[in-house]
Amino acid sequence: MQYKGFLFCARSKEIKYSCSCQWCIYNQIKQSACTFAAMSAVMITRKVTRKWEKLPGKNTFCCDGRVMMARQKGVFYLTLFLIIGTCSLFFAFECPYLAVHLSPAIPVFAVLLFVFVMAMLLRTSFSDPGVLPRALPEEANFIEMEIEAANGNVLAGQRPPPRIKNVQINNQIVKLKYCYTCKIFRPPRASHCSICDNCVDRFDHHCPWVGNCVGKRNYRYFYLFTLSLSLLTIYIFAFDIVHVVLRSVDSGFHVVSLTPHCTVLEVLVCFFTLWSVVGLTGFHTYLISLNQTTNEDIKGSWSGKNRVQNPYSHKNIIENCCEVLCGPTYPSVLDRRGVMLEDSTSPNPSDASTHKSSNPVSQTTVRQHFL
Amino acid sequence: MSSAPRTATERTKLPYCHESFHNLQELRHSASLANKVFIQRDYTDGTICKFQTKFPSELDSRIERTLFEDTVKMLNNYYAEAEKIGGQSYIEGCLACLTVYLVFLCIETRYEKVLKKISRYIQEQNEKVYAPRGLLITDPIERGMRVIEISVYEDRGSSGSSSGSSTTSSSGR
């Protein structure tokens, strides 16, 4: 037994600093073996480090990397509150009356629409918009060497030329800009979101209402969200009016005194939502038909001056809509839930120096592509 | 079990499973990384995933041009198949929309199926073609589908090897 640096030798029944009798040596070995086993058990059950914990950028992750959002979520909570609050009032106060006096299909359809709106909102907010991972050091160096080779000798004191690559897409020259944060040449239509500090593929805009960027992977969910929310708003607005009219017809024409406060609240919320959301849906329908992003529209990339045309458009509205809405579901390249392995576990210690921790070996059985 | 074979010709005579284990493990543990070559994306057809088939000069002495081009062309075909907008993608999209995208909890999307095919293909190419030549291809999905990373390894002075290191010594590095 050991008490704070002292050793109790059970054989000689004495307390000593150290003892080399067989009994004490055996106990020391046994104790260190137990300690080692306990430590190993702790190490095995210790939480593994997943890749999302080491991702650069200003995103927040929830549910162990399954959910990915921007940092500022206040406006997103407001969106949730408005939708759930208004719909709850509608289901509580208007639906019982309408179901009895008109048709029970009205609340059923409202529920379906509400579920669809919430699903699209959560899908837009929680999924990876199409973030491009930053270049690893070797790739960044390779690109730097290419740039230096292309620029040739820059005289001292002179500013080096801007880092732009020209590519030809469908007989149109498109300039690819270099991102100093991510150390890559941005693919066409990609842009760097300063709020999330990530390059996003097919960047549309950063939407505070959904608390996330809108990019290649979640644009169709965003569009379906605005479309279904417009329908839901129009639906609730219309049936609120119908409800007020029916009640006033049933019990005389005292509209003002009969209208409960919640109906007024719902009508107000729906009225202001209608203008903004329906307008937004119309705007995005226009963008989809032309296969443009909000970012390109704001910058005027394909506004037609200098005979520059959108090289991504199929020149056919149906084809453009089909590509954006019915295209393939792109996978997330971030692999947020992949496990990061330390290379100290490799059997050959001399190789640990070549495979630095900046290039971790990923060991995932199933890459999570769903969100 | 005898020690792992050192020469490329000896490695090619191994049965498949041992070859897959020993070639790649050996490459990682006995060879030192000399260089990395990055094959960039080809944007001439738009934003679809396609890689340049231009043969990089760093691989001139390591692998035949046709083998390299075949690999990249095959990968491009796989990605084109994954991103094809046609009947199947419409059905998948509509079905997913009707089920509020919950159907993807049960079934795999077409893109994911093709990605699995791609990683099996890359594994097979690494084992059969690239590892015997001291090269290793990294799956583009590990690099954000921006580049195909090819790691170039140097054999650490293994004497008595025939075709394996003779190409290395003639590279003049």
Side-chain angles (χ1 to χ4, degrees), chain A residues 119 133 139 169 351 359 369, chain B residues 28-29 36 43 100 112 146:
Chain A
E139 192 188 336
I169 300 176
D351 260 356
N359 193 1
H369 292 307
Chain B
R28 288 200 174 106
H29 292 152
K36 280 192 185 184
Y43 294 115
V100 194
E112 283 168 13
R146 277 196 317 267

Side-chain angles (χ1 to χ4, degrees), chain A residues 89-105:
Chain A
L89 291 176
F90 181 71
F91 293 133
F93 295 102
E94 267 81 14
C95 281
Y97 184 87
L98 289 169
V100 165
H101 286 78
L102 272 184
S103 161

Side-chain angles (χ1 to χ4, degrees), chain A residues 103-289:
Chain A
S103 161
I106 293 170
V108 167
F109 190 71
V111 166
L112 290 174
L113 208 48
F114 170 71
V115 165
F116 192 78
V117 166
M118 288 307 297
M120 291 300 106
L121 171 63
L122 295 178
R123 183 104 200 185
T124 311
S125 305
F126 293 167
S127 58
D128 172 9
V131 172
L132 296 168
R134 298 194 184 180
L136 295 172
E138 294 104 350
E139 192 188 336
N141 288 337
F142 184 84
I143 296 175
E144 289 273 346
M145 280 176 6
E146 265 192 352
I147 294 171
E148 274 164 33
N151 284 346
N153 283 326
V154 177
L155 295 171
Q158 253 190 7
R159 216 196 304 181
R163 296 180 170 191
I164 288 182
K165 220 191 234 186
N166 286 324
V167 292
Q168 200 181 49
I169 300 176
N170 291 333
N171 301 321
Q172 194 85 238
I173 300 287
V174 174
K175 293 189 191 302
L176 302 186
K177 285 193 191 159
Y178 182 78
C179 181
Y180 284 92
T181 316
C182 304
K183 302 211 179 359
I184 55 169
F185 275 101
R186 283 186 214 128
R189 313 193 92 173
S191 189
H192 192 94
C193 174
S194 48
I195 302 172
C196 301
D197 203 24
N198 289 316
C199 270
V200 179
D201 208 354
R202 202 185 184 280
F203 180 71
D204 195 82
H205 66 287
H206 181 100
C207 186
W209 298 95
V210 303
N212 204 358
C213 287
V214 178
K216 180 167 83 168
R217 291 191 74 241
N218 63 355
Y219 183 65
R220 81 187 63 175
Y221 311 127
F222 174 76
Y223 178 72
L224 290 173
F225 165 64
T226 55
L227 184 64
S228 53
L229 187 62
S230 312
L231 291 174
L232 184 66
T233 313
I234 293 170
Y235 193 85
I236 293 180
F237 190 73
F239 280 103
D240 276 349
I241 306 292
V242 164
H243 174 245
V244 168
V245 165
L246 282 180
R247 270 205 198 266
S248 62
V249 162
D250 275 350
S251 36
F253 285 92
H254 304 287
V255 177
V256 175
S257 57
L258 280 171
T259 316
H261 297 296
C262 44
T263 312
V264 171
L265 195 63
E266 286 168 46
V267 168
L268 268 175
V269 169
C270 288
F271 185 74
F272 288 112
T273 313
L274 256 179
W275 293 113
S276 44
V277 176
V278 171
L280 192 66
T281 311
F283 175 62
H284 279 284
T285 313
Y286 160 76
L287 287 180
I288 288 175
S289 63

